[in-house]
């Protein structure tokens, strides 16, 4: 949630900062603002709503200066308004901030007693006032920032300017992501890589408790107490065009169509077909430990949690290890039974999800090992885990996850192959068959994408309904959950996902002529039972949309519409059946006119609890 971008260098800051904010829109926001320094004077422009409103302000009243900071805000403290929009200014100290200051009320009360007057309802404004107060005592910008942040409890990523020292920009982080971009004679700082990627590929990922001081000629990173920190920039291989729409109407549609490439990239370099083996370069876990595991917890939120549910089927089937799947926000509050023989597998697209990061730390605190599946290199979750399996999906801008989800499924499949061989549960012939299927997966996803026109036509007949039901059995139950979530997220239609066998335990009461029921029915061991569920829906007048890999005799008679994906081994079928779920949600949302890439009330990365 929220987005920060800062710049210091020889160029005009406003165009760079504004462009960076546009590239951070996917994180979710309700207001935006920019501040620059010019001739020792702070200039600020803010606006409620979308960035177009800020752009209009800047066209009417341009901001000049070669040092600037910008922010897209998602309201936590204080309603969305221009007054509550960042940046916030107190005595010439200007702050943008992501996170939550937990003790802001106590600090605000003390500052008021010291004579400070506040103009907003935000927790962020107290940071500017704290810096101002400490500057009165010490007369040094950097020292004042260090002392102010030393008083703050909670999570923050901040960028701060000072009109008294106009050639410096200071940034720091604790619990919220912040990345430094190193250019040629210029520096950038931002919440995420895409904000800077068109200017530099050399990135430095700040750790919690680190602070960076920029001038136009230099950069110095230290801990909050002043201890110097040496860091080597990492070269990001994403190209800027990967974060552009590339001719697609929405980022989400582009990312749906990028899935064959993303899956191929996630597989690339990790399989040895001749030996039928998997190579995981950053696994970071000893084979002896993996062989001696007593259980695996898989922890995630939202769409990643649905991937985790599929992972449970894979790992218990092929590695014969007990697997529990937990929602990250619940895991650490139930005193989980983690031992030294427990692996906690955390899944997060961004690698910054606050609840998942907290669960990771809970597992570590109890002596367990942690493995991450993550899309963002050097993210907090990736850094704090004992090992990581990176998905190579590239930047995912649309809030509703698509290619991140399918590449997470592929990463889980790869890990299953690895640990299944290690524990002696998968012989070479079985592994070879599984790898052959995996190699064919990108091509089969391309075939699924050919359903686009058919699904768009179906969407015209479903766009006005108020409720949906999604049903699946076995490893398709998580895909039913995912399909329902996608529809809720971007079309605002109420939808529920259920195991098909649970239909008669409650959901059947909802079925009438107005209720579409999406039934995921590939040809596996549960096909006959799912077909019986379809008959029960049909008997009550429900409208069945069936997703299958073969139209068997009688199946077409049980559905209003049948979508056929190509056949593949059952372990990988969730990847293929998820594609129609994504496309159906997308086309219904487009027809309803909702904001597909930035749905209301949602943020791409939930970086505070």
């Amino acid at each position: 949630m929220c987005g920060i971008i800062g710049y210091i260098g020889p160029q005009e800051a406003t165009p760079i900062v504004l462009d960076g904010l546009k590239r951070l829109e996917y994180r979710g926001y309700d207001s935006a603002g920019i501040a620059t320094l010019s001739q020792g004077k702070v200039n600020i422009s803010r606006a409620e709503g979308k960035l177009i409103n800020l752009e209009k302000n800047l066209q009417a009243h341009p901001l000049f200066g070669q040092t600037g900071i910008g922010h897209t805000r998602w309201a936590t403290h204080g309603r969305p308004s221009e007054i509550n929009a960042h940046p916030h200014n107190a005595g010439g100290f200007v702050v943008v901030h992501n996170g939550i200051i937990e003790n802001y009320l106590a600090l605000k009360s003390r500052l008021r007693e010291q004579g400070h007057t506040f103009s907003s309802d935000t927790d962020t404004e107290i940071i500017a006032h704290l810096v101002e107060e400490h500057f009165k005592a010490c007369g040094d910008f950097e020292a004042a920032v260090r002392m102010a942040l030393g008083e703050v409890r909670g999570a923050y990523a901040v960028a701060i300017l000072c009109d008294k020292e106009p050639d410096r920009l200071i940034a720091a982080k604790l619990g919220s992501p912040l990345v430094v971009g190193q250019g040629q004679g210029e520096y950038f700082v931002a919440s995420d890589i895409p904000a800077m990627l068109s200017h530099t590929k050399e990135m430095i990922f700040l750790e919690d408790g680190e602070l960076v001081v920029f001038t136009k000629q230099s950069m110095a990173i230290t801990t909050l107490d002043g201890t110097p920190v040496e860091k080597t920039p990492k070269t990001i291989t994403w190209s800027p065009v990967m974060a552009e729409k590339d001719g697609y109407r929405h980022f989400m549609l582009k990312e749906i169509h990028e899935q064959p490439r993303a899956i191929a990239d996630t597989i690339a370099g990790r399989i040895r077909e001749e030996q039928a083996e998997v190579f995981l370069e950053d696994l970071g876990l000893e084979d002896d430990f993996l062989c001696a595991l007593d259980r695996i917890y898989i922890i995630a939120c939202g769409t990643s949690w649905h991937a985790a549910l599929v992972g449970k089927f894979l790992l218990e089937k092929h590695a014969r290890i007990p697997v529990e799947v937990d929602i990250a926000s619940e895991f650490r509050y139930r005193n989980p039974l983690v031992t030294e023989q427990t692996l906690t597998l955390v899944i997060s697209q961004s690698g910054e999800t606050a609840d998942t990061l907290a669960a990771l730390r809970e597992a570590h605190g109890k002596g367990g090992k942690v493995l991450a599946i993550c899309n963002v290199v050097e993210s907090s979750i990736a850094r704090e885990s004992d090992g990581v399996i990176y998905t190579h999906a590239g930047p995912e801008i649309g809030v509703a996850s698509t290619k991140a989800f399918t590449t997470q499924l592929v990463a889980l499949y790869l890990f299953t192959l690895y640990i299944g061989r290690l524990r002696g549960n998968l012989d070479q012939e079985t592994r070879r068959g599984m790898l052959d299927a995996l190699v064919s997966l990108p091509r089969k996803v391309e075939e699924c994408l050919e359903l686009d026109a058919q699904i768009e036509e179906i969407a015209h007949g479903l766009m006005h309904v108020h409720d949906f039901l999604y049903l699946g059995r076995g490893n398709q139950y998580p895909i039913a959950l995912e399909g329902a979530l996608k529809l809720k997220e971007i079309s605002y239609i109420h939808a529920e996902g259920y195991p098909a066998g649970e239909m008669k335990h409650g959901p059947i009461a909802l079925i009438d002529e107005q209720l579409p029921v999406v039934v995921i029915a590939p040809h596996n061991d549960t096909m006959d039972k799912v077909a019986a569920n379809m008959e029960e829906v049909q008997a009550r007048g429900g409208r069945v949309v069936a997703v299958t890999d073969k139209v068997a005799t009688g199946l077409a008679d049980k559905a209003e519409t049948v979508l056929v994906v190509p056949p593949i081994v059952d372990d990988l079928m969730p990847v293929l059946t998820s594609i129609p779920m994504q496309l159906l949600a997308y086309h219904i949302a487009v027809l309803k006119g909702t904001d597909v890439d930035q749905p209301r009330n949602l943020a791409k990365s939930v970086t505070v609890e």
Side-chain angles (χ1 to χ4, degrees), residues 203-249:
M203 307 287 179
I204 294 172
F205 298 85
L206 296 182
E207 303 279 357
D208 282 351
E210 291 182 345
L211 179 146
V212 56
V213 179
F214 302 98
T215 71
K216 292 182 179 181
Q217 294 80 34
S218 66
M219 170 184 66
I221 301 173
T222 62
T223 60
L224 202 58
D225 64 6
T227 304
V229 176
E230 293 294 327
K231 285 183 176 287
T232 302
K234 293 186 179 290
T235 302
I236 302 302
T237 57
W238 300 348
S239 67
V241 75
M242 291 174 74
E244 302 293 342
K245 290 182 184 175
D246 199 25
Y248 287 94
R249 183 173 178 181

Side-chain angles (χ1 to χ4, degrees), residues 466-489:
H466 299 291
D467 302 278
F468 263 78
L469 186 62
Y470 288 74
L471 301 175
R473 282 183 182 257
N475 63 5
Q476 296 300 331
Y477 159 53
I479 306 308
L481 292 175
E482 176 63 10
L485 177 61
K486 283 290 155 287
L487 191 69
K488 282 184 281 197
E489 284 180 316

Side-chain angles (χ1 to χ4, degrees), residues 200-469:
T200 180
K201 292 187 176 182
E202 300 302 307
M203 307 287 179
I204 294 172
F205 298 85
L206 296 182
E207 303 279 357
D208 282 351
E210 291 182 345
L211 179 146
V212 56
V213 179
F214 302 98
T215 71
K216 292 182 179 181
Q217 294 80 34
S218 66
M219 170 184 66
I221 301 173
T222 62
T223 60
L224 202 58
D225 64 6
T227 304
V229 176
E230 293 294 327
K231 285 183 176 287
T232 302
K234 293 186 179 290
T235 302
I236 302 302
T237 57
W238 300 348
S239 67
V241 75
M242 291 174 74
E244 302 293 342
K245 290 182 184 175
D246 199 25
Y248 287 94
R249 183 173 178 181
H250 296 97
F251 280 113
M252 182 181 179
L253 184 61
K254 173 179 179 268
E255 288 154 7
I256 289 171
H257 282 268
E258 285 177 335
Q259 287 175 111
R261 189 272 310 158
I263 290 169
D265 286 352
T266 300
I267 298 168
R270 287 175 163 167
I271 63 173
R272 296 167 175 152
E273 292 184 76
E274 187 174 343
Q275 296 86 2
E277 292 183 354
V278 169
F279 173 70
L280 299 173
E281 65 275 19
D282 297 309
L283 192 61
L285 299 170
E286 297 293 333
D287 288 353
D288 289 346
F289 167 74
L290 293 174
C291 286
L293 288 180
D294 61 4
R295 77 181 70 191
I296 296 176
Y297 288 111
I298 313 182
I299 312 297
C301 301
T303 286
S304 296
W305 182 68
H306 299 155
L309 292 171
V310 177
K312 174 182 173 71
F313 282 95
L314 287 168
L315 286 162
E316 289 193 339
K317 176 181 177 181
H318 294 297
R320 307 307 296 161
I321 303 172
V323 177
E324 293 185 40
V325 178
D326 266 275
I327 293 173
S329 57
E330 296 293 327
F331 179 73
R332 68 190 174 113
Y333 294 109
R334 66 174 183 82
N335 195 19
L337 297 172
V338 176
T339 72
E340 292 182 355
Q341 283 75 49
T342 301
L343 174 64
T344 300
L345 173 55
V346 296
I347 307 177
S348 169
Q349 186 281 140
S350 68
E352 303 293 347
T353 311
D355 288 317
T356 308
L357 190 55
L360 181 162
R361 291 166 178 166
E362 177 74 10
H364 266 162
K366 291 180 177 294
K369 297 283 190 180
V370 178
L371 174 66
I373 293 177
C374 184
N375 189 43
V376 180
V377 176
E378 291 295 306
S379 57
S380 297
I381 285 173
R383 293 196 306 270
E384 292 195 27
S385 296
D386 298 289
V388 60
I389 303 173
Y390 284 114
T391 57
H392 297 301
E396 186 176 69
I397 306 302
V399 166
S401 181
T402 53
K403 62 178 180 174
F405 174 68
T406 50
T407 54
Q408 286 167 357
L409 296 181
V410 170
L412 285 162
Y413 189 86
L414 287 166
F415 180 61
T416 298
L417 277 162
Y418 183 89
I419 194 171
R421 178 195 64 79
L422 206 62
R423 293 171 66 93
N425 298 109
L426 289 174
D427 60 31
Q428 188 176 55
E429 183 179 353
T430 303
R431 296 196 311 271
R432 182 167 287 117
M434 293 176 69
L435 285 174
D436 286 346
L438 184 61
V439 169
S440 75
L441 184 62
R443 174 177 51 80
K444 296 199 173 189
V445 171
E446 288 180 352
E447 292 180 44
C448 291
L449 293 171
E450 294 173 5
L451 295 169
D452 190 36
Q454 183 185 358
I455 293 172
E456 184 176 9
E457 184 62 30
I458 295 168
H460 280 274
L462 299 175
M463 62 177 288
H464 296 299
V465 303
H466 299 291
D467 302 278
F468 263 78
L469 186 62

